[in-house]
Amino acid sequence: MNRQMKRMQERQERRAKGTVAERREAAATSVRRTSSAPTEGKKKRTGARKFLKEVRLELAKVDWPSRRELISYTIVVLVTVVVMTSLVFGLDFVFSKLIFNVLTKN
């Protein structure tokens, strides 16, 4: 399920929890939004101030990890990087020795 579908599902759940009047109002605004969409292909650009304000609002909605989660995720990433680097180094070393031995036996 992608992000857009999750957001739409969350909106529907919020609407379902609201009162009948709130649900009617939400349905009316969603119908108005779709009917008032610009028919032309080019959309009006937003200004930098509005963009940054919207970015800040979106970042406030993010469910940031706790410090404990962040530390555990960081450890997992570092261990994975060390293991994968060791694996690649080992394979490179073995194959380079093998190729070197095959080419120098002539």
Side-chain angles (χ1 to χ4, degrees):
M1 182 181 295
N2 64 16
R3 200 178 317 162
Q4 184 179 8
M5 293 295 291
K6 286 182 182 178
R7 287 181 180 159
M8 188 168 57
Q9 185 178 12
E10 288 171 359
R11 278 190 222 120
Q12 289 172 351
E13 289 172 358
R14 275 189 247 128
R15 287 180 187 152
K17 291 179 184 177
T19 64
V20 175
E22 289 174 346
R23 279 187 254 151
R24 285 183 188 154
E25 182 181 330
T29 57
S30 65
V31 170
R32 274 187 251 139
R33 276 190 215 137
T34 57
S35 63
S36 66
T39 55
E40 59 205 40
K42 196 172 183 179
K43 292 183 178 181
K44 185 180 177 187
R45 292 182 58 143
T46 60
R49 181 176 287 165
K50 183 176 181 183
F51 173 75
L52 292 174
K53 182 179 179 183
E54 289 175 0
V55 167
R56 191 176 336 129
L57 290 173
E58 285 296 319
L59 287 175
K61 294 177 187 177
V62 173
D63 185 23
W64 297 101
S66 67
R67 183 172 294 275
R68 177 178 235 140
E69 290 172 333
L70 185 65
I71 290 171
S72 65
Y73 296 157
T74 303
I75 291 171
V76 167
V77 168
L78 291 176
V79 167
T80 304
V81 167
V82 167
V83 168
M84 294 305 293
T85 303
S86 301
L87 179 69
V88 170
F89 171 76
L91 290 173
D92 180 53
F93 183 77
V94 168
F95 284 123
S96 65
K97 289 293 182 182
L98 184 72
I99 297 291
F100 184 71
N101 287 336
V102 168
L103 293 178
T104 57
K105 282 190 176 183
N106 291 339

